[in-house]
Each structure stands twice: as structure tokens, then as C-alpha cells.
Amino acid sequence: KTRTKILRKFSQVKKQIKNINVNCVIPVRGPVIDKFCNSLDKLNKKPLIFYTIDEAIKVNEFKKIIISTADLKLIKIIKQKYKNKVLFHKRKSNLSGHNQDYRESVLQAVKKFNKENIDVLSIMTVENPYRKYFYITQAISNLIIHESDLVIGTIPDIENNFYQYSKKGIKLISNEKNNSLKLEKNVILKDVGAFSVYNFKSYLKNNISKVTNIVLDDQDSIMLLNKSDLAAANNKSNIK
């Protein structure tokens, strides 16, 4: 009976997804704007940003894939490769600074290509080249099933213990290496930044209350945040 209810719910979600407008936005500064941006640096002879775009194209639920950047050279290179498979939002230079929140740019990008508000927004980062498309599909279903405001990609932290201050000293808040706390609810989850799937109404209002997650494999969660990370990943590939 329980299995029947679960299957029925998934069936309803599948029908619902067909009728919702899901947009993907990939915000990136680009190396012309930020010399530390590694979006065009190559991993296994392929520009890093291409990995994210390739996976985004595989997500059938995406009605539009939008690159938001102020880097015209980056736009030209992506256009040559992907033609009309992706759309481009020219981000304002004053919204492209280092450590600048890309929220306003994302909203402008969505508004540019949609006459009405969308239902679901997926933000994908270029620093996660190993993240697979099916995690995004799972996240969209998760968002609808759990009526969440946001779904993120996570991995459980199994290497560290975490403590917080209490009246009796510090208190363990994770369950690793502690046999008395072997409960899933005590596991510390790490946001790996691979994607953020939002209920767009919640994102628009900047009101994120309920957050759920999709667990990624360790390999798929690897982030290449800088040129050193990229060099290490290329060296590892060459060794294999």
C-alpha cells in the first residue's frame, strides 16, 4: 500500500513537471572581467564551462538555458559551439565584480526571456564539471514532492567531527566516529555548490524557508575553484 502511494505520487509529479516552466541560469564572470575566472581553462582539452552547458542541455525539463555574463569574448566562444541551444544575458559590469551577488543578474536574465514568471529556477555553477544532469532532474522532482523553496546538492561529511558551544562545554553535532549518535538526522551535510533548484516565487521574494537536498557521489561533487584545482584534475587524468 505504501509503495502504491509512492508510485502514485511520482506519477502525479511527472505529469506536473510537464506543465511547469523551468529555466536554467548559468552565471559566470568570464576571464575578461575576472582574471581568476577559470571558465575557459581546459579540463581534458575541453573548456570548463562546456561541461556545465553539456549537462544542462541533457535536462529535458529545462525550457530555457541562459548564460549570464558581462564577458563578450566568452559569449562569442559559447555561441560558436552551441548556436541556438543556449540564450545569453549581457550582465551589467557593475554586477560583475568579484564576490558580487549574482541574484539581481539572475532575475534580469529570467525576465529578459520570459513574459511571465517561471515556476522553477535552476542555477548551475561552472566549477562543478563532474556533476551529472540526472541530479538536476532529481532535484526538480524533490522540489515538487516536498514543496520546498530550495533543493541543493550535498555530500555527507564523513571525515570530520563538528562541535558547537553549550552550557556544558562543546557538544558534538555530527555523528561520525561516535557510536552513540548513529542517526541520519545527526549527519552533517556539505553543500557542494553544484546546483540550486528554487521555487521561483520563493527566490523572487528572497524567502527561503524549507531546504531539501540531493546527495551526490563524491566524484560528481568535486569543485574546481581555481587554476590550481584545475591543474591537479588534469594531472590526475593524465596519470590515469
Side-chain angles (χ1 to χ4, degrees), residues 168-201:
K168 297 182 179 181
I170 59 174
K171 179 183 178 182
L172 183 68
I173 59 173
S174 63
N175 71 351
E176 300 308 323
K177 305 174 187 176
N178 188 307
N179 292 328
S180 65
L181 290 175
K182 292 297 181 182
L183 297 173
E184 184 178 350
K185 67 180 181 180
N186 293 313
V187 173
I188 296 296
L189 297 171
K190 178 183 176 181
D191 180 358
V192 294
F195 56 82
S196 300
V197 176
Y198 292 91
N199 177 315
F200 187 67
K201 288 182 180 178

Side-chain angles (χ1 to χ4, degrees), residues 125 127-132 135 153-156 190-195 214-225:
T125 55
E127 295 86 3
N128 296 80
Y130 303 109
R131 158 250 294 115
K132 302 296 188 297
Y135 292 118
T154 64
I155 57 171
K190 178 183 176 181
D191 180 358
V192 294
F195 56 82
I214 297 294
V215 177
L216 279 67
D217 291 340
D218 285 345
Q219 174 64 28
D220 297 339
S221 72
I222 293 174
M223 299 179 73
L224 305 181
L225 296 174

Side-chain angles (χ1 to χ4, degrees), residues 78-123:
I78 295 173
K79 271 186 178 180
Q80 288 175 343
K81 167 74 172 175
Y82 294 98
K83 306 293 190 291
N84 61 349
K85 292 182 180 179
V86 297
L87 303 169
F88 297 93
H89 165 250
K90 174 66 169 62
R91 194 194 303 189
K92 294 178 180 178
S93 297
N94 66 323
L95 296 177
S96 303
H98 196 61
N99 294 324
Q100 182 83 35
D101 185 3
Y102 52 62
R103 173 182 159 78
E104 187 174 342
S105 297
V106 168
L107 290 173
Q108 289 175 0
V110 171
K111 185 177 180 180
K112 178 179 178 180
F113 294 105
N114 295 272
K115 293 181 180 179
E116 299 178 354
N117 282 341
I118 62 175
D119 301 298
V120 175
L121 168 66
S122 175
I123 298 176

Side-chain angles (χ1 to χ4, degrees), residues 4-5 39 49 55 59 102 123 126 135 156 158 176 197 219:
T4 300
K5 287 182 179 179
S39 57
I49 193 171
E55 292 306 304
V59 180
Y102 52 62
I123 298 176
V126 302
Y135 292 118
I158 60 175
E176 300 308 323
V197 176
Q219 174 64 28

